[in-house]
Amino acid sequence: MDSSLLSYAIALGLLNHVYFHKFEPNSAKIPLLFLSLEPAVLILCLGGPISFLRLLLSYTVFWGSLSLSIVLYRLSPFHPLAQYPGPAISKVSKLWGAAVAARGKRHLYLKKLHDAYGPYVRTGPDELSIVDATAASQILNAGGLVKGRFYETGRDPSTPPPILSLIGEAHAKKRRAWNRAMASLRDYDPVIQKRAMQLVTCLGEQPKGTAVDLALWFELFTYDFMGDLAFGGVFEMLQQGKDTHGLGNKIHSFFAASIILGNIPWILGLFNLLPMVQRSIQEFNDLGQGLATHRIKTGATHAKDLWYHIADEEGLEKQKPTLQDAAADGIVAIIAASDTVAHLLASLMWCLVSNDQCYKRVQQEIDDTFVVEDDLVDFSKHQQCVFLSACINETLRLFPPAPVNGGTRQVHLNSGGGRDIAGKYIPEGTSVYMPTYVLHRRSDYFSRPAEFVPDRWLPSSDLALKHNASAFMPFSQGPANCVGQHLARREVQAVIIFLLKAFEVRFAEGFDGAAWTETVCDYFTATRGPLLVELTRRG
Ligand code: HEM
């Protein structure tokens, strides 16, 4: 046995742990290079024969001592997050979390963990999941924590970052343009109306007695609508009755890769080198550029569209964004605004069709508000449907389209110490999730948390229910909350009003309605399986 090689390999393993713990790298590229060479260099330095057996010993002992030291430290009471409970496997590595995320069931896994361990759970060596409304509000609002490394995923560093990845002044600048775009939502009413009416027409043309996949049709609606708003009307998927651009697949595989990478961000630099990943990022960049070029060539479908604002066509900013810059935001508009709204629409229809009483109340409210068909286009009347609004809130509570509330927030390393948040100490280097799916289902915030009870949102309700509205944050909170939330509500309100005025909707024969929620997955935004219904024209 080569005892000096053994002791040096152990010591080198421990030294590497101490070094990389203190100077945590941003990317695994350089550390992996060092870690793969060091045991061989050690043999060269110690002298003696360079045999296969000595190499094997050096590598095994070096990697073994490094891994054991990391595992023991992460489980030890000396780790800064030692006071937070959580499963041992999560304390040791994020790989388990990444595997759960890859299956799309992260929201359900987090719910189980919080049920077992309470509102603060250690979900990774340096990661917490928090479902405390006060803490979430402090983290997300001004003066809270900044965005974590999660937001670097899915982007090639050579491409301009979209609003979602930015912080500080760069974020504020883009946010001003987005705020202008969302300041006068009435400008977009004609587009919502046109697409909602087209949706109803397309649905009415489906052969009688066939099952219609509402989840798919809602996606086509939102793609067409956002295509109109951001890029001058490019997709026309409703007309074709299918996702002709494969946009759904592109978005879903992009997000799936992003959340897996978001769980183990140090792998980012390596992962981005894979041709498959480069291709996917490139595809998105090309799509954005192509759509932007199309919009510039053809102009807007109506006076001032979203592109007009995000590309600053009015020239209000000192420095106009480049085409690439604006295209990056245009793509965010398609991604952030289509799948989320489609999910809300599908979940809402599922909730209504599953709850006959609520369905009838919504239908009655719509019939009372819009006595003649022409009234439907009067968007000011849409807001009068207060029970429908309550149903929208209740759906957002139960099925938030961003189940984990976006990416992580972080107390970055070397940022001047940890932070006190709602009476708890969050040490430097900690990433934090605030899964709304779990927060919204805490029984001490909302009574009967798993039930669809829209009345809890009505001021006139005489139900004596616990109702903590500050724990309701489907659109996140603070300066980087969802800038499109009012547009989303406006779209959903309109589509449901047009749809329920035109049709009776029931689950299709043989469709297992009760099992539909099991098809919901969390890939940053939620995805869902087909929602098969039967539509009957109302008289
Ligand atoms: C039901 C529909 C929607 C839901 C539940 C939703 C939810 C969210 C959430 C949770 C965030 C924060 C993400 C994070 O911090 O990582 C967000 C950000 C954002 N959303 Fe939405 N969203 C919806 C619809 C829309 C629509 C219709 C638009 C645009 C037309 C939009 C545009 C954006 C943008 C641009 C951001 C980034 C804001 C910033 O960084 O300042 N969203 N959304």
Side-chain angles (χ1 to χ4, degrees):
M1 175 64 88
D2 193 337
S3 59
S4 65
L5 175 60
L6 193 76
S7 347
Y8 276 110
I10 292 176
L12 195 60
L14 295 177
L15 263 176
N16 271 272
H17 180 202
V18 172
Y19 179 82
F20 285 121
H21 177 65
K22 181 109 185 88
F23 305 101
E24 194 181 348
N26 272 338
S27 150
K29 276 186 224 165
I30 303 290
L32 279 183
L33 185 71
F34 271 88
L35 297 180
S36 56
L37 291 180
E38 282 179 52
V41 174
L42 180 65
I43 290 184
L44 288 178
C45 293
L46 290 177
I50 304 177
S51 66
F52 172 73
L53 266 181
R54 288 192 86 214
L55 277 171
L56 185 70
L57 179 71
S58 184
Y59 273 91
T60 314
V61 174
F62 170 79
W63 279 91
S65 110
L66 175 64
S67 311
L68 191 66
S69 139
I70 292 175
V71 168
L72 290 178
Y73 172 67
R74 288 177 174 178
L75 290 173
S76 78
F78 307 111
H79 191 281
L81 290 183
Q83 57 162 310
Y84 292 100
I89 193 160
S90 305
K91 292 178 183 174
V92 168
S93 165
K94 268 303 292 172
L95 290 174
W96 175 247
V100 173
R103 286 191 297 114
K105 298 297 171 188
R106 187 176 49 162
H107 58 309
L108 300 180
Y109 175 66
L110 289 174
K111 172 90 172 68
K112 257 195 209 152
L113 289 187
H114 281 288
D115 286 348
Y117 294 102
Y120 291 76
V121 179
R122 190 168 158 203
T123 47
D126 299 307
E127 186 185 278
L128 292 175
S129 175
I130 299 179
V131 290
D132 171 345
T134 313
S137 169
Q138 285 183 18
I139 289 168
L140 292 166
N141 278 294
L145 306 189
V146 291
K147 287 178 176 172
R149 295 205 56 210
F150 182 96
Y151 290 89
E152 293 164 29
T153 55
R155 193 176 68 77
D156 189 295
S158 64
T159 60
I163 181 170
L164 202 60
S165 322
L166 290 171
I167 54 172
E169 182 43 40
H171 174 265
K173 184 179 169 203
K174 279 206 183 239
R175 182 74 186 210
R176 280 197 297 275
W178 275 91
N179 284 343
R180 285 195 289 270
M182 296 296 143
S184 177
L185 293 181
R186 266 175 304 187
D187 291 353
Y188 306 140
D189 287 348
V191 193
I192 301 181
Q193 182 192 320
K194 173 184 136 193
R195 291 299 182 186
M197 285 167 80
Q198 187 184 4
L199 172 68
V200 166
T201 308
C202 292
L203 292 175
E205 285 166 0
Q206 299 309 300
K208 243 187 161 167
T210 54
V212 171
D213 179 3
L214 265 191
L216 171 70
W217 282 99
F218 288 147
E219 280 168 28
L220 303 182
F221 162 82
T222 55
Y223 294 150
D224 275 358
F225 173 67
M226 284 317 295
D228 291 345
L229 232 56
F231 294 114
V234 273
F235 298 130
E236 296 305 340
M237 296 195 206
L238 281 169
Q239 211 176 66
Q240 312 284 329
K242 58 180 181 214
D243 180 356
T244 39
H245 288 63
L247 205 54
N249 274 344
K250 281 194 189 117
I251 294 176
H252 298 153
S253 39
F254 174 81
F255 272 144
S258 295
I259 72 157
I260 297 165
L261 291 175
N263 272 280
I264 30 177
W266 56 264
I267 218 172
L268 252 182
L270 290 177
F271 208 73
N272 281 353
L273 296 177
L274 294 177
M276 201 180 76
V277 175
Q278 281 182 343
R279 222 179 13 253
S280 151
I281 295 173
Q282 193 56 44
E283 263 185 17
F284 255 95
N285 285 342
D286 291 349
L287 181 69
Q289 303 287 316
L291 296 175
T293 313
H294 171 274
R295 162 62 179 79
I296 289 166
K297 221 159 68 189
T298 56
T301 54
H302 59 287
K304 289 182 183 175
D305 59 1
L306 182 59
W307 179 267
Y308 174 88
H309 295 284
I310 58 179
D312 191 24
E313 289 192 333
E314 205 170 351
L316 295 173
E317 296 289 337
K318 273 194 209 123
Q319 207 182 356
K320 222 176 153 94
T322 61
L323 178 82
Q324 286 86 348
D325 245 325
D329 271 13
I331 281 293
V332 163
I334 303 286
I335 296 176
S338 50
D339 227 25
T340 46
V341 173
H343 191 70
L344 175 54
L345 279 165
S347 314
L348 174 55
M349 279 313 298
W350 180 83
C351 290
L352 292 180
V353 178
S354 309
N355 292 272
D356 203 40
Q357 261 191 350
C358 293
Y359 183 104
K360 290 211 168 86
R361 270 176 78 184
V362 171
Q363 194 177 52
Q364 192 60 55
E365 184 177 64
I366 292 171
D367 287 349
D368 291 347
T369 314
F370 305 96
V371 180
V372 289
E373 196 115 329
D374 287 354
D375 286 351
L376 286 173
V377 297
D378 181 353
F379 275 58
S380 63
K381 280 194 157 189
H382 290 199
Q383 314 313 316
Q384 293 170 20
C385 294
V386 288
F387 185 67
L388 174 56
S389 293
C391 290
I392 293 174
N393 272 349
E394 187 63 346
T395 307
L396 284 166
R397 187 184 69 80
L398 283 173
F399 302 106
V404 178
N405 206 356
T408 50
R409 301 288 150 148
Q410 199 158 356
V411 185
H412 284 286
L413 278 175
N414 307 317
S415 58
R419 295 287 305 276
D420 281 310
I421 300 285
K424 298 263 184 192
Y425 183 68
I426 314 283
E428 266 192 356
T430 307
S431 297
V432 178
Y433 276 107
M434 289 143 288
T436 24
Y437 179 86
V438 187
L439 185 73
H440 290 175
R441 287 167 181 252
R442 267 187 66 169
S443 56
D444 46 348
Y445 291 148
F446 299 102
S447 319
R448 296 160 58 191
E451 288 175 48
F452 184 71
V453 188
D455 282 275
R456 70 173 92 233
W457 296 98
L458 297 177
S460 56
S461 165
D462 52 8
L463 289 175
L465 296 176
K466 248 180 273 163
H467 186 80
N468 185 342
S470 70
F472 178 64
M473 47 186 87
F475 297 104
S476 194
Q477 280 196 359
N481 71 349
C482 179
V483 68
Q485 56 185 292
H486 301 296
L487 178 62
R489 287 178 184 278
R490 212 168 172 88
E491 264 179 273
V492 170
Q493 194 109 0
V495 168
I496 299 296
I497 288 170
F498 277 86
L499 187 70
L500 293 193
K501 190 78 182 158
F503 302 108
E504 291 290 352
V505 187
R506 294 287 170 261
F507 287 135
E509 217 178 292
F511 177 68
D512 186 358
W516 182 76
T517 53
E518 289 161 27
T519 68
V520 172
C521 286
D522 160 31
Y523 288 113
F524 188 83
T525 55
T527 61
R528 66 242 130 239
L531 178 62
L532 299 182
V533 299
E534 221 171 87
L535 301 169
T536 319
R537 271 249 176 238
R538 296 182 68 198

